[in-house]
Amino acid sequence: PVVTFGNLMTEGTALSRRGQHDKALGCFNEALKLRAGDKHCLITRSKCFLKLGDTENSLKDAEASLRIDKTFPEGLYQKAETLYTMGDFEFALVFYHRGRRLRPDIHKFQLGINKAEEAIINCLGNPSAVKLENTEELCFVSRQAERRKDNQQQQNKPTKDQKRTKKQSPKTERQLLGQLYADKAYLEKLLKDEDLMQSSTRQGIKVVDLVLDGISYLNHRRDFWQQQKPMYARVYERELLRRGRMQDKKRKSSDIGRSIAKDMEDIELCLARGSTEESCRKAERMLRKIQGWTEEEVPNKNELIGNLYSCIGNAHLAMGQMEAALHSHKMDLDFARKNALTDAVSRALDNIGHVYARIGRFQQAINAWEEKIPLAQSSLEKAWLFHEIGRCYLELDKAEVAQDYGQKSLQSADEEGDAEWQLHATVLVAQAQVKLKDYRSAIMNFERALEKAKLVPSEAAQNGIIAALDNVSKSFIAELNKSHRD
């Protein structure tokens, strides 16, 4: 089977979702050999390292993706997550903030900020609880005396949070707290009930302490939102909300993006498991849904449509519906050419060649694959491509051209150091030489192929080559006898 970057990424993602992170890591390593420096693959491998507890390699991959693209949001988030896991909460907070500034629509950056700040407070304590006073004399008092003094001050004097509440106008607080403003007003009303404040719960906790803790928490929330979203930003948000209400069925791009990513994973997973009909139905349903969305809602709409046509074509091919598969892959090629998507053009030509070869239209398969040659990105991909083209020429009884492509395939396999494709290419060259009646060269190449088959190792390949070698040897001996008689 042909191993491509997309296949490896799909298999690795599926293994990772099932918790088999060691196997998934192997797939991502192989994928990066085919397309070194792919930022999406680096991030996926970084997540895998993090699941395995290898934070150093996880951080290296996240930083490598950011060297490729400094504004890559997934790279910023993964670096922040790795630093958070390593316990480096301050630096994690820096990268959560940096990601939020670049992409405020991605909610997980805000969640990261919240949990990093909470972790820092848990480690160091809340700065607002620390009070420094200058006194003329230094005196030492017991901790119990200090605690009694603090309790008396809290009961007799308004707290810092209460003072700050008085400075904020009710209108401003209502805008900052939203629905929580009613709760804060209720708690402040309870403070005026002196009898209730002097009472205690069954556990011995004073009611006044519970009420003050609730007000303090709401004040912290108010101050947090005041810092994160000042009032001028809220005015702008209200304007956006007003415009959004005028549009029916308004969708958030971030929610759509997450939904699309999950649906695409499900489609590819169904195809990998062999549930081709289910994969095809899901892809067709999603295609109709995306076609109804605007480019503002889905910025990469055309690219997604091409991917879905490719998935539908692969499903039809697996079900043996060749004409339907060919139609879908041609649609994928049209979308890729219209939008200048080089990788998608290469993928579509690859799939079209497969379909033509399966139905015996070898010349059209050759045309598609020869157009793909300049788009091949690795020696391994070229080795496979030259081998398939040579195999089609051999089926068309054009043995000389098949031999040339076999040699090209062997050269690319040697560059990659891949024993399996060295084996396939050598067998192709030998078979072309048999058709050309160059039996001496064919025997030498079959012997080389036999050595490669032992290295792979493949018992079936060894048996097939031994049988072919026996037939070629008989033909060679018959030709020698004929020459001797002549």
Side-chain angles (χ1 to χ4, degrees), residues 127-140:
S128 63
V130 179
K131 298 179 181 180
L132 300 177
E133 297 179 356
N134 293 325
T135 58
E136 295 179 358
E137 296 180 358
L138 293 175
C139 60
F140 297 91

Side-chain angles (χ1 to χ4, degrees), residues 111-135:
L111 295 178
I113 291 170
N114 294 346
K115 72 178 181 181
E117 287 181 343
E118 186 176 353
I120 293 169
I121 290 173
N122 289 338
C123 292
L124 304 178
N126 194 338
S128 63
V130 179
K131 298 179 181 180
L132 300 177
E133 297 179 356
N134 293 325
T135 58

Side-chain angles (χ1 to χ4, degrees), residues 410 414 418-420 422-424 426 446-458 462 465:
L410 182 59
D414 289 339
D418 190 287
E420 188 172 353
Q422 288 172 346
L423 165 63
H424 297 323
T426 307
F446 273 128
E447 288 175 348
R448 292 193 190 102
L450 187 59
E451 294 300 319
K452 296 292 182 184
K454 292 176 182 178
L455 292 175
V456 170
S458 173
Q462 292 178 47
I465 292 169

Side-chain angles (χ1 to χ4, degrees), residues 25 60 100 215 227 319:
L25 194 62
K60 286 180 182 177
R100 186 180 176 279
I215 293 174
Q227 181 183 4
M319 291 186 288

Side-chain angles (χ1 to χ4, degrees), residues 183-193 197 211 215:
D183 298 330
K184 186 171 184 293
Y186 176 73
L187 291 174
E188 288 176 343
K189 184 178 178 181
L190 288 180
L191 278 176
K192 298 177 182 180
D193 191 339
M197 293 302 102
V211 174
I215 293 174

Side-chain angles (χ1 to χ4, degrees), residues 192-332:
K192 298 177 182 180
D193 191 339
E194 296 181 0
D195 294 336
L196 179 62
M197 293 302 102
Q198 295 298 325
S199 62
S200 301
T201 64
R202 292 180 181 179
Q203 290 78 19
I205 303 172
K206 289 188 175 181
V207 175
V208 66
D209 292 336
L210 294 174
V211 174
L212 289 172
D213 286 344
I215 293 174
S216 176
Y217 171 77
L218 292 173
N219 286 339
H220 284 309
R221 289 295 88 195
R222 177 201 62 201
D223 295 341
F224 173 77
W225 290 116
Q226 176 67 39
Q227 181 183 4
Q228 295 297 323
K229 290 187 177 181
M231 297 310 298
Y232 63 83
R234 291 170 178 268
V235 172
Y236 175 69
E237 287 185 355
R238 284 199 301 274
E239 178 62 22
L240 289 181
L241 186 60
R242 186 186 65 80
R243 294 178 185 176
R245 287 171 182 167
M246 296 172 63
Q247 299 177 2
D248 294 332
K249 298 180 181 180
K250 178 81 173 176
R251 301 177 182 88
K252 293 182 179 179
S253 59
S254 59
D255 293 339
I256 292 175
R258 284 193 293 270
S259 174
I260 288 172
K262 184 181 181 303
D263 289 343
M264 289 298 294
E265 285 182 7
D266 290 342
I267 290 166
E268 291 172 358
L269 193 59
C270 287
L271 192 60
R273 289 174 175 173
S275 304
T276 51
E277 292 183 5
E278 184 180 358
S279 174
C280 188
R281 283 197 303 272
K282 287 185 175 182
E284 288 174 345
R285 192 184 308 122
M286 187 177 176
L287 179 61
R288 290 192 295 270
K289 189 190 300 182
I290 289 179
Q291 286 173 337
W293 288 341
T294 64
E295 292 188 2
E296 293 180 358
E297 293 172 317
V298 186
N300 57 339
K301 177 180 176 179
N302 291 324
E303 185 178 354
L304 280 171
I305 289 174
N307 284 334
L308 287 168
Y309 273 121
S310 178
C311 292
I312 293 168
N314 290 333
H316 282 304
L317 181 64
M319 291 186 288
Q321 300 170 2
M322 299 304 174
E323 291 301 324
L326 192 60
H327 172 73
S328 296
H329 289 312
K330 284 183 176 180
M331 291 295 293
D332 179 21

Side-chain angles (χ1 to χ4, degrees), residues 36-39 42 63-70 72:
D38 184 88
K39 60 184 182 181
L42 284 169
E63 290 176 339
S65 72
L66 290 174
R67 283 195 293 272
I68 298 167
D69 183 0
K70 293 180 181 179
F72 185 39

